[in-house]
């Protein structure tokens, strides 16, 4: 379940073309179980109607501090006191400037100024033209707002409504949602660096053919995302999969097992936790042809010899930092049967303190899974749930062991 479920968020819109994304954000927040109270500035109403936002949030929208619906006529106090956060998206250049100076000439800025600063976090998603964004005035405002404790989200990069290209776009709704979820998540891995491998590897036979497996990478990507949510710096070494990179996760794409080992060895010294979820090919063709292998008409099949790939997990787990306890290594076991017995034996064989077993054929490509955590004291099951939920539970478990 999302960390946003049950929260009450004031969603403020200031004037900007990115307001169309706020409709989607509102919908996504409601879907995540958030009570969304929309407040719009007059400028915002030029881009989006209050009717749309009311329909999406399921609550009347406030646009004026003189709103007579409030018995005491103090909407700025009444709407913000119980809020878990005020999220201003889009936050225009003008609105950031107003926040910085403590301006309060309309309801949204008045509400931001009047909020109990220690109880109601203020999160802003800037949105503006690239020149406005890079202007020293805006950059100064952003720095000072951060110093004042305001959470200023990143801006996106790309084509802008004005026809120019650059920094300053508002993040997409799902990116803001992800950042809000991270904001509200407990941070048991704060200050830690986590290295994750994910997906299959691909071992070339020739330039057009190769050997791979059915791993989708979903579990590893969910773990990378959960580790970031838990406060860690995360590097994800991914085999060939077409999954989007979790936000704020550094991704290194590789193909073969040997490339994966190289990438891991380059990153692992900075890590305190190594989680090896990749389904590394156990063997690769002994020779990879430079040119496509052609049929010669004789009906003869090519003779493929194999050599064993390096065991990435075992290599890392036997390194001095892992042996001395500075690096905590977690292995995965994809089995087809006798999970407990195989996982127990594999944990010892790989030399890792924690091994996570799952039934491979039942989970490859699926969004759900069940995990069996095996350590030296025994085994504990994380019952069937979404891979995201399991990843969060696993991060909690790992954090307790560090
Ligand atoms: N692993 C690895 N490098 C390899 C093979 C496996 O790093 N060359 C890691 C996997 O990422 C996983 C663990 O080792 O964390 C176990 O992988 P699995 O494929 O289940 O086990 P294998 O060692 O390949 O043993 P087997 O196929 O015989 O079950």
């Amino acid at each position: 379940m999302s960390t946003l479920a049950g929260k009450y968020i004031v969603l403020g819109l200031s004037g900007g073309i990115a307001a169309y994304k706020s409709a989607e954000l509102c919908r996504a927040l409601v879907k995540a179980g958030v009570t969304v109270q929309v407040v719009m500035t007059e400028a915002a109403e030029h881009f989006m109607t209050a009717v749309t936002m009311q329909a999406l949030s399921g609550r009347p929208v406030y646009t004026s501090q003189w709103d007579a619906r409030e018995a005491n006529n103090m909407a700025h106090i009444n709407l913000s006191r119980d809020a878990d956060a005020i999220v201003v998206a889009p936050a225009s250049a003008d609105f950031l400037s107003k926040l910085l100076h403590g301006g309060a000439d309309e309801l949204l800025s008045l509400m931001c100024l009047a909020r109990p600063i220690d109880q109601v976090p203020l999160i802003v998603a800037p949105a503006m033209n690239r020149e406005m964004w890079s202007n020293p005035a805006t950059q100064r405002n952003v720095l000072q707002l951060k110093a004042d404790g305001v959470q200023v989200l990143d801006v996106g990069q790309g084509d802008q409504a004005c026809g120019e290209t650059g920094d300053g776009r508002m993040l997409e709704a799902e990116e803001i949602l992800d950042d809000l979820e991270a904001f509200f998540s407990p941070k048991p891995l704060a200050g830690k660096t986590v290295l994750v491998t994910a997906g299959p590897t691909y071992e070339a036979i020739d330039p057009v053919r190769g050997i791979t497996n059915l791993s989708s990478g979903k579990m590893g990507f969910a773990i990378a995302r959960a580790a970031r949510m838990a406060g860690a710096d995360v590097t994800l070494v991914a085999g060939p999969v077409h999954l989007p990179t979790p936000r704020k996760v550094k991704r290194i794409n590789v193909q073969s097992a040997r490339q994966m080992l190289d990438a891991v060895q380059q990153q692992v010294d900075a890590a305190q936790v190594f989680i090896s979820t990749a389904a590394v090919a156990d063997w690769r063709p002994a020779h990879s042809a430079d040119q496509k292998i052609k049929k010669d008409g004789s009906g003869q099949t090519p003779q493929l010899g194999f050599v064993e790939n390096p065991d990435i997990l075992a290599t890392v787990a036997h390194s001095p930092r892992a042996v001395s306890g500075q690096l905590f290594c977690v292995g995965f076991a994809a089995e087809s049967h006798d999970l407990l017995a195989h996982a127990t034996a594999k944990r010892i064989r790989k030399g890792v303190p924690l091994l996570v077993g799952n039934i491979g054929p039942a989970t490859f490509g699926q969004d759900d899974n069940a995990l069996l955590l095996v350590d030296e004291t025994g085994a504990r099951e994380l019952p069937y749930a979404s891979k995201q939920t399991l990843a969060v539970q696993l991060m909690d478990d790992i954090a307790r062991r560090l």
Side-chain angles (χ1 to χ4, degrees):
M1 194 159 71
S2 163
T3 54
L4 294 169
K7 298 274 189 272
Y8 166 51
I9 288 179
V10 174
L11 176 60
L13 278 67
S14 63
I17 186 63
Y20 76 92
K21 296 183 187 174
S22 310
E24 214 180 308
L25 174 62
C26 178
R27 199 160 173 263
L29 286 168
V30 169
K31 205 168 159 204
V34 177
T35 302
V36 182
Q37 175 58 59
V38 176
V39 175
M40 296 170 71
T41 65
E42 192 196 330
E45 285 190 272
H46 287 282
F47 295 94
M48 177 62 70
T49 71
V51 174
T52 304
M53 297 308 290
Q54 175 169 351
L56 292 172
S57 64
R59 293 166 72 90
V61 170
Y62 283 74
T63 56
S64 163
Q65 73 264 43
W66 311 119
D67 196 316
R69 283 174 294 183
E70 295 298 307
N72 61 359
N73 217 297
M74 295 193 193
H76 62 297
I77 304 291
N78 304 347
L79 299 182
S80 67
R81 283 299 174 268
D82 297 329
D84 290 295
I86 299 177
V87 177
V88 181
S92 65
D94 181 57
F95 195 78
L96 294 181
S97 155
K98 198 190 280 188
L99 278 181
L100 179 82
H101 292 290
D105 63 348
E106 41 68 45
L107 179 59
L108 185 56
S109 53
L110 177 60
M111 186 181 273
C112 292
L113 189 69
R115 81 191 198 282
I117 202 163
D118 296 329
Q119 292 157 39
V120 183
L122 176 57
I123 302 170
V124 298
M128 66 200 73
N129 163 269
R130 66 187 173 121
E131 300 292 358
M132 294 166 77
W133 175 249
S134 62
N135 191 293
T138 303
Q139 290 303 312
R140 222 173 21 242
N141 291 347
V142 166
L143 266 184
Q144 186 57 48
L145 285 170
K146 286 181 178 171
D148 291 348
V150 176
Q151 302 287 321
V152 182
L153 302 186
D154 294 343
V155 290
Q157 205 267 344
D159 292 343
Q160 302 201 307
C162 51
E164 298 179 3
T165 304
D167 288 341
R169 285 169 58 101
M170 187 168 90
L171 295 179
E172 300 304 320
E174 69 205 41
E175 294 174 315
I176 296 177
L177 192 75
D178 219 53
D179 283 359
L180 294 179
E181 209 170 309
F183 178 79
F184 285 111
S185 294
K187 303 281 181 296
L189 291 175
K192 305 286 184 213
T193 297
V194 175
L195 177 63
V196 184
T197 64
T201 63
Y202 176 88
E203 313 295 333
I205 295 172
D206 67 18
V208 298
R209 305 185 183 92
I211 292 173
T212 186
N213 59 62
L214 288 175
S215 167
S216 65
K218 284 182 181 172
M219 192 69 228
F221 275 60
I223 284 174
R225 179 173 184 271
R228 178 249 161 167
M229 293 279 170
D233 273 335
V234 184
T235 301
L236 174 62
V237 178
V241 291
H242 296 286
L243 295 174
T245 309
R247 264 181 79 62
K248 313 248 170 157
V249 166
K250 177 174 144 192
R251 175 173 182 173
I252 301 171
N253 287 326
V254 297
Q255 296 267 323
S256 68
R258 286 183 297 173
Q259 288 171 353
M260 188 173 272
L261 176 64
D262 280 351
V264 164
Q265 284 180 323
Q266 276 170 32
Q267 301 296 322
V268 76
D269 284 348
Q272 288 79 46
V273 181
F274 174 57
I275 308 175
S276 179
T277 70
V280 183
D282 291 314
W283 307 282
R284 65 176 182 276
H287 301 288
S288 168
D290 291 338
Q291 296 184 335
K292 184 181 174 191
I293 302 171
K294 305 290 283 180
K295 290 190 292 252
D296 62 7
S298 70
Q300 284 237 317
T301 54
Q303 299 301 304
L304 293 178
F306 289 93
V307 290
E308 197 167 320
N309 266 327
D311 190 318
I312 301 169
L313 176 61
T315 307
V316 172
H318 289 97
S319 67
R321 286 186 68 241
V323 172
S324 68
Q326 295 170 65
L327 175 68
F328 187 81
C329 292
V330 183
F332 265 69
E335 306 294 344
S336 60
H337 60 285
D338 291 342
L339 186 55
L340 179 59
H342 284 304
T344 305
K346 200 167 275 185
R347 187 189 78 78
I348 293 164
R349 198 169 75 238
K350 301 267 176 176
V352 292
L354 177 63
L355 193 118
V356 182
N358 61 157
I359 297 291
T363 183
F364 279 172
Q366 304 296 311
D367 291 326
D368 300 313
N369 199 359
L371 301 178
L372 189 68
L373 311 193
V374 180
D375 64 13
E376 63 177 357
T377 64
R380 175 167 88 93
E381 202 193 338
L382 297 183
Y384 200 71
S386 75
K387 288 182 177 175
Q388 280 301 338
T389 302
L390 292 170
V392 171
Q393 293 170 354
L394 182 60
M395 289 314 106
D396 278 348
D397 183 280
I398 289 173
R400 278 198 300 274
R401 295 169 189 267
L402 294 180

